[in-house]
Amino acid sequence: MTHMLWLYCLVFLLPTESCRTLYQAARESKENVSAGPQGQCDGACNEDNSQCSQPCPPDVQGNMGFSCRKNKWHKVTDTCRTLNAFNIFEENLYSIQPNTESIKITHYAGKSETITERLMQTCPKDLSCVIKGIQQSPRIPGNIAMIVQLLHNISTELKADVDEAKMQSYSIITNHILNSKSISNWTFIPEKNSSCVLLHSVNSFARKLSINKHPIDISDAFIHIKGSTISRDNTEKNFTFSMRVNDTNRKVTGQVFIARDELWDAPSSSPVVSIAFPTLGAILEASLFENIVVNGLVLSVILPTELKNVSLTFEKISKSEEKRTHCVGWHSSESRWDQKACQMIQENSDQAVCKCEPNRFYTSFSILMSPHAMESPILTYITYVGLGISICSLILCLSIEALVWSQVTKTEITYLRHLCIVNVAATLLMADVWFIVGSFFAGPMTRHNGCVVAAFFVHFFYLSVFFWMLAKALLILYGILIVFHTLPKSVLVACLFVVGYGGPLVIAVITVAVTEPGQGYLRPEVCWLNWDKTKALLAFVVPALTIVVVNLTTATLVIVKTQRATAGSSMFQEVRSIVRICKNIAILTPLLGLTWGFGIATVIDGSSLAFHVIFSLLNAFQGFFILLFGTILDPKIREALKCRVTSAKWISRLSEGMGTTTEGMKADLNQFGGD
């Protein structure tokens, strides 16, 4: 224990050189953890998601948490820290640590902790007495979390105006944990909102910055603060930043511009502060596990409440023209990027110009880049036009079935057949509706909970389409292998519903329960099953394609076997009904299966646009296929419709004839009365 060494030196008055030697040895031991502890669990990793905890290296407080995945331990949390309430104030005695516990770092609200209280007593003028201790500390997760806590407490504790000296110290402390080399360590902090707390704390502290006559310009490598005063006499106001976003010398620019029209509403000598962060976007992604990419500087803008709009220009980090760009603001209370705060004014391959509305919820802004290529306009057109046709076709299909139900369900097998057709149409209709609902939740700032609900129901109802097709195949086997009337119709109906809805429900629930806790249920920006991370899409594709194979095999065998039935046999009519079902399955099943066969190809990176177009066409027109092959081409339904139309015409003519007769009788009566 290094602090014991110093006590030993002080008490027994050892020579200075001896103390220095002991101290240097302790310091070298300490530096071994500067890159962050990388320990492993001692236990066997046999079951996925099993947990393990290991203590940090000697003289380092905290522990490391591991999770077992694919028979290998992976670090998921890390609270190892070298900083505490004592050594953070020491410039030259960094390794000395007390026996007592340091501040709590698990809560961001409430009473100020030990470090903050001592800081305000030791160096209240400029807060500089902790800078050396922090700068000498390794950027390991526990230290980062502790510094975030300190910055939050300082921002909360200081009620008076903040001068340039305090802002300078605050910036230096913040710069230490925003270093690009520390980004990966943010992922191991147990409090996943630490990066959000940091952003909120910096903005809150800067809001108290007092600006007099001279502008303020505080520049560090990973945070740049500019402040000035404005009034209605100014023609315009702008702040320009140029900062490195990675370890190269390449810089990315950002600009804050306040137009003359806005300045007319500004009170005299109003302070304006803008802050640029080159790495904070990546830190937010890493700590929150967001499926989005911040493609520019994060710019915070603190304006008088009278100013409502500001123009922001972001140079793009990645200048790909194939990726969609969105102007966004950080919603401070919901800790997410929100597209409602800004609108795109102009964009090219190099930069984007956004018009944003700073307020109490939105102070920080940036641009997001979709991780996927822009969707072709033709695919969007095909999808939504096809969905409209599909929904109309399914509604027409259900309407026809309701119209002719009594005529086409006179036997038990025809009743069960049409029950399957109705449920296939109804489930596909619901899937299409939920697909449209999901499109409102999708996007770079996906509303996660709503998207999960939409994806669950789309998954469930699309699976139900296939399982009801499977139910039709099982119905055929039952009719061929077993005498149909051995079971009551109510029992058969119950069995069909168990197959048609029970199977999909079990699969859908298991899929969301297994993948959602690890944020692996959804695809980025789309309310549909994930492929890249968890392969959750297989929970749909595998059952669907398995049912395709089973149904085609069943239909082929039954059609071949029933060719031997003679026209005069007692089972001839039922055999004809079974053959009709088989033909229906033999046509619809390949169409549905082919659709999702192309669907697999679309999730492969770099797949041809042709696969996407074919999948969009087949998927969008599934409802039309069911109407055509399941209803319109059925001779029994056409015959029933013809009878209904003929009956309607006969009734119309009869009513017209009765109307004519009535009018004639009235005329005769009138004539009789006149005579």
Side-chain angles (χ1 to χ4, degrees), residues 150-342:
L150 174 62
L151 291 169
H152 172 77
N153 287 344
I154 293 172
S155 177
T156 304
E157 182 73 13
L158 281 178
K159 307 295 183 183
D161 292 340
V162 173
D163 59 20
E164 186 172 356
K166 290 188 179 73
M167 193 75 247
Q168 178 76 60
S169 298
Y170 201 90
S171 177
I172 293 172
I173 297 170
T174 305
N175 183 73
H176 181 71
I177 56 176
L178 288 177
N179 192 297
S180 58
K181 296 178 181 178
S182 70
I183 294 175
S184 60
N185 284 336
W186 284 82
T187 63
F188 302 118
I189 300 175
E191 296 80 21
K192 298 306 177 185
N193 68 331
S194 293
S195 55
C196 311
V197 173
L198 174 64
L199 177 57
H200 178 73
S201 300
V202 174
N203 289 339
S204 298
F205 195 78
R207 197 177 294 276
K208 304 168 187 175
L209 181 60
S210 178
I211 304 173
N212 298 318
K213 295 180 180 180
H214 303 289
I216 290 177
D217 192 334
I218 302 171
S219 179
D220 289 292
F222 303 102
I223 178 173
H224 192 171
I225 303 168
K226 290 187 177 185
S228 182
T229 57
I230 59 172
S231 67
R232 64 183 61 187
D233 297 329
N234 296 115
T235 55
E236 61 185 33
K237 193 69 181 179
N238 69 77
F239 301 103
T240 301
F241 301 93
S242 180
M243 307 184 76
R244 290 193 305 164
V245 294
N246 47 41
D247 294 329
T248 68
N249 291 323
R250 176 172 170 263
K251 292 186 176 182
V252 172
T253 62
Q255 185 182 63
V256 178
F257 177 79
I258 306 172
R260 181 183 178 87
D261 294 342
E262 286 291 322
L263 293 176
W264 277 106
D265 298 325
S268 178
S269 299
S270 300
V272 174
V273 180
S274 185
I275 312 170
F277 305 91
T279 57
L280 186 57
I283 289 172
L284 287 167
E285 296 170 35
S287 58
L288 298 176
F289 301 103
E290 292 286 344
N291 293 318
I292 56 178
V293 178
V294 177
N295 198 30
L297 300 177
V298 175
L299 296 178
S300 292
V301 183
I302 300 168
L303 300 175
T305 55
E306 290 81 5
L307 301 186
K308 303 299 182 184
N309 294 285
V310 63
S311 178
L312 304 174
T313 302
F314 298 94
E315 182 183 352
K316 296 180 179 179
I317 299 172
S318 174
K319 303 185 187 301
S320 173
E321 295 183 359
E322 299 179 353
K323 303 296 180 71
R324 289 175 290 184
T325 299
H326 302 270
C327 298
V328 292
W330 181 259
H331 198 301
S332 57
S333 63
E334 297 182 5
S335 299
R336 63 178 178 86
W337 292 111
D338 193 345
Q339 199 171 344
K340 295 179 181 178
C342 300

Side-chain angles (χ1 to χ4, degrees), residues 556-586:
T556 302
L557 292 176
V558 171
I559 289 174
V560 171
K561 183 176 180 178
T562 54
Q563 293 298 317
R564 303 175 184 177
T566 60
S569 66
S570 59
M571 293 291 292
F572 182 67
Q573 291 300 325
E574 288 196 353
V575 167
R576 286 187 62 185
S577 296
I578 292 173
V579 170
R580 194 177 297 118
I581 298 173
C582 288
K583 289 179 178 179
N584 179 264
I585 291 175

Side-chain angles (χ1 to χ4, degrees), residues 373-380 382 598 601-602 604-617:
M374 291 182 65
E375 188 173 284
S376 170
I378 189 173
L379 293 180
T380 304
I382 290 172
F598 281 104
T602 63
I604 300 174
D605 291 335
S607 57
S608 172
L609 178 63
F611 287 113
H612 291 265
V613 172
I614 294 172
F615 172 70
S616 296
L617 282 170

